[in-house]
Short mmCIF file of all heavy atoms in Angstrom, two decimals:
data_model
loop_
_atom_site.label_atom_id
_atom_site.label_comp_id
_atom_site.label_asym_id
_atom_site.label_seq_id
_atom_site.Cartn_x
_atom_site.Cartn_y
_atom_site.Cartn_z
N THR A 1 17.46 -49.73 11.03
CA THR A 1 16.86 -50.11 9.87
C THR A 1 17.68 -51.17 9.12
O THR A 1 17.14 -52.10 8.48
CB THR A 1 16.74 -48.91 8.95
OG1 THR A 1 15.96 -47.85 9.61
CG2 THR A 1 15.93 -49.22 7.62
N LYS A 2 19.03 -51.04 9.21
CA LYS A 2 19.89 -52.04 8.68
C LYS A 2 19.67 -53.40 9.28
O LYS A 2 19.61 -54.44 8.63
CB LYS A 2 21.38 -51.63 8.80
CG LYS A 2 21.83 -50.59 7.83
CD LYS A 2 23.21 -50.10 8.18
CE LYS A 2 24.26 -51.21 8.06
NZ LYS A 2 25.64 -50.74 8.34
N GLN A 3 19.57 -53.43 10.67
CA GLN A 3 19.30 -54.62 11.36
C GLN A 3 17.98 -55.31 10.88
O GLN A 3 17.85 -56.44 10.64
CB GLN A 3 19.21 -54.36 12.91
CG GLN A 3 20.55 -54.07 13.48
CD GLN A 3 20.41 -53.58 14.95
OE1 GLN A 3 21.34 -53.05 15.52
NE2 GLN A 3 19.27 -53.87 15.54
N PHE A 4 16.91 -54.43 10.76
CA PHE A 4 15.63 -54.99 10.30
C PHE A 4 15.74 -55.52 8.95
O PHE A 4 15.20 -56.66 8.61
CB PHE A 4 14.62 -53.86 10.36
CG PHE A 4 13.30 -54.24 9.70
CD1 PHE A 4 12.48 -55.14 10.29
CD2 PHE A 4 12.89 -53.60 8.54
CE1 PHE A 4 11.23 -55.50 9.74
CE2 PHE A 4 11.69 -54.02 7.94
CZ PHE A 4 10.92 -54.98 8.58
N ALA A 5 16.35 -54.79 7.99
CA ALA A 5 16.49 -55.25 6.64
C ALA A 5 17.27 -56.52 6.55
O ALA A 5 17.03 -57.42 5.64
CB ALA A 5 17.12 -54.21 5.81
N SER A 6 18.22 -56.76 7.44
CA SER A 6 19.02 -57.98 7.47
C SER A 6 18.40 -59.08 8.28
O SER A 6 19.04 -60.08 8.63
CB SER A 6 20.42 -57.64 8.03
OG SER A 6 21.05 -56.62 7.28
N ARG A 7 17.13 -58.92 8.62
CA ARG A 7 16.33 -60.00 9.33
C ARG A 7 16.94 -60.23 10.80
O ARG A 7 16.83 -61.30 11.32
CB ARG A 7 16.33 -61.33 8.63
CG ARG A 7 15.69 -61.13 7.20
CD ARG A 7 15.75 -62.40 6.39
NE ARG A 7 15.17 -62.24 5.12
CZ ARG A 7 13.90 -62.38 4.73
NH1 ARG A 7 13.05 -62.76 5.64
NH2 ARG A 7 13.48 -62.12 3.52
N LEU A 8 17.45 -59.08 11.36
CA LEU A 8 17.91 -59.20 12.74
C LEU A 8 16.96 -58.42 13.58
O LEU A 8 16.13 -57.65 13.09
CB LEU A 8 19.34 -58.53 12.80
CG LEU A 8 20.44 -59.22 12.07
CD1 LEU A 8 21.72 -58.37 12.08
CD2 LEU A 8 20.74 -60.58 12.72
N PRO A 9 16.95 -58.65 14.86
CA PRO A 9 15.98 -57.91 15.80
C PRO A 9 16.18 -56.38 15.68
O PRO A 9 17.33 -55.90 15.55
CB PRO A 9 16.42 -58.37 17.22
CG PRO A 9 17.09 -59.70 17.03
CD PRO A 9 17.82 -59.59 15.67
N ALA A 10 15.06 -55.71 15.70
CA ALA A 10 15.06 -54.22 15.49
C ALA A 10 13.81 -53.70 16.28
O ALA A 10 12.82 -54.45 16.51
CB ALA A 10 15.05 -53.80 14.05
N ASN A 11 13.85 -52.40 16.56
CA ASN A 11 12.75 -51.79 17.28
C ASN A 11 11.84 -50.87 16.43
O ASN A 11 12.28 -50.27 15.49
CB ASN A 11 13.32 -50.97 18.47
CG ASN A 11 13.75 -51.73 19.64
OD1 ASN A 11 12.98 -52.54 20.18
ND2 ASN A 11 15.07 -51.62 19.94
N ASN A 12 10.56 -50.84 16.82
CA ASN A 12 9.71 -49.74 16.31
C ASN A 12 10.34 -48.44 16.80
O ASN A 12 10.91 -48.32 17.79
CB ASN A 12 8.29 -49.88 16.90
CG ASN A 12 7.62 -51.25 16.58
OD1 ASN A 12 7.71 -51.67 15.36
ND2 ASN A 12 7.09 -51.93 17.58
N ALA A 13 10.18 -47.37 15.97
CA ALA A 13 10.88 -46.09 16.26
C ALA A 13 9.87 -45.02 16.32
O ALA A 13 9.02 -44.90 15.40
CB ALA A 13 11.93 -45.77 15.29
N LEU A 14 9.99 -44.09 17.30
CA LEU A 14 9.26 -42.86 17.40
C LEU A 14 10.12 -41.74 17.30
O LEU A 14 11.05 -41.54 18.13
CB LEU A 14 8.44 -42.86 18.79
CG LEU A 14 7.68 -41.54 19.10
CD1 LEU A 14 6.55 -41.31 18.01
CD2 LEU A 14 7.19 -41.60 20.47
N LEU A 15 9.98 -40.91 16.25
CA LEU A 15 10.72 -39.71 16.02
C LEU A 15 9.86 -38.54 16.46
O LEU A 15 8.81 -38.20 15.88
CB LEU A 15 11.17 -39.52 14.59
CG LEU A 15 12.08 -40.54 13.94
CD1 LEU A 15 11.52 -41.93 13.82
CD2 LEU A 15 12.58 -40.08 12.61
N TRP A 16 10.30 -37.93 17.54
CA TRP A 16 9.43 -36.91 18.18
C TRP A 16 10.21 -35.55 18.35
O TRP A 16 11.43 -35.50 18.42
CB TRP A 16 8.87 -37.27 19.57
CG TRP A 16 9.94 -37.46 20.57
CD1 TRP A 16 10.75 -38.55 20.84
CD2 TRP A 16 10.40 -36.48 21.47
NE1 TRP A 16 11.66 -38.30 21.74
CE2 TRP A 16 11.43 -36.98 22.24
CE3 TRP A 16 9.97 -35.15 21.75
CZ2 TRP A 16 12.02 -36.36 23.21
CZ3 TRP A 16 10.61 -34.46 22.78
CH2 TRP A 16 11.66 -34.99 23.49
N GLY A 17 9.43 -34.38 18.45
CA GLY A 17 10.17 -33.18 18.71
C GLY A 17 9.72 -32.03 17.88
O GLY A 17 8.60 -31.99 17.28
N ALA A 18 10.64 -31.10 17.68
CA ALA A 18 10.31 -29.77 17.07
C ALA A 18 9.79 -29.98 15.61
O ALA A 18 10.27 -30.87 14.87
CB ALA A 18 11.62 -28.89 17.07
N ARG A 19 8.85 -29.10 15.23
CA ARG A 19 8.35 -29.14 13.83
C ARG A 19 9.41 -28.74 12.87
O ARG A 19 10.29 -27.86 13.12
CB ARG A 19 7.13 -28.17 13.76
CG ARG A 19 6.00 -28.58 14.60
CD ARG A 19 4.81 -27.68 14.28
NE ARG A 19 5.12 -26.29 14.47
CZ ARG A 19 4.96 -25.60 15.62
NH1 ARG A 19 4.58 -26.28 16.66
NH2 ARG A 19 5.22 -24.32 15.68
N GLY A 20 9.34 -29.31 11.64
CA GLY A 20 10.19 -28.96 10.56
C GLY A 20 11.66 -29.23 10.69
O GLY A 20 12.50 -28.79 9.89
N MET A 21 12.03 -30.22 11.59
CA MET A 21 13.41 -30.55 11.83
C MET A 21 13.82 -31.79 11.15
O MET A 21 14.81 -32.44 11.50
CB MET A 21 13.72 -30.58 13.31
CG MET A 21 13.96 -29.21 13.88
SD MET A 21 15.22 -28.27 13.02
CE MET A 21 16.68 -29.27 13.29
N GLY A 22 12.99 -32.35 10.17
CA GLY A 22 13.42 -33.45 9.36
C GLY A 22 13.11 -34.80 9.88
O GLY A 22 13.70 -35.80 9.45
N LYS A 23 12.01 -34.99 10.69
CA LYS A 23 11.58 -36.26 11.17
C LYS A 23 11.18 -37.19 9.98
O LYS A 23 11.67 -38.28 9.83
CB LYS A 23 10.50 -36.11 12.21
CG LYS A 23 10.95 -35.34 13.46
CD LYS A 23 9.85 -35.35 14.54
CE LYS A 23 8.67 -34.47 14.15
NZ LYS A 23 8.95 -33.07 14.00
N SER A 24 10.19 -36.71 9.26
CA SER A 24 9.69 -37.57 8.13
C SER A 24 10.74 -37.62 7.00
O SER A 24 10.83 -38.70 6.33
CB SER A 24 8.38 -37.01 7.57
OG SER A 24 8.47 -35.71 7.04
#
């Protein structure tokens, strides 16, 4: 996120896994 905010290359991100573990 820092790279993206600084106009540097960054990736789309997929946060996957167990329910209720703080992804959002």
Side-chain angles (χ1 to χ4, degrees):
T1 307
K2 284 175 61 180
Q3 290 174 196
F4 171 70
S6 300
R7 301 175 183 269
L8 296 171
N11 280 303
N12 301 311
L14 174 62
L15 291 70
W16 66 275
R19 297 189 302 272
M21 279 306 297
K23 296 185 292 293
S24 60

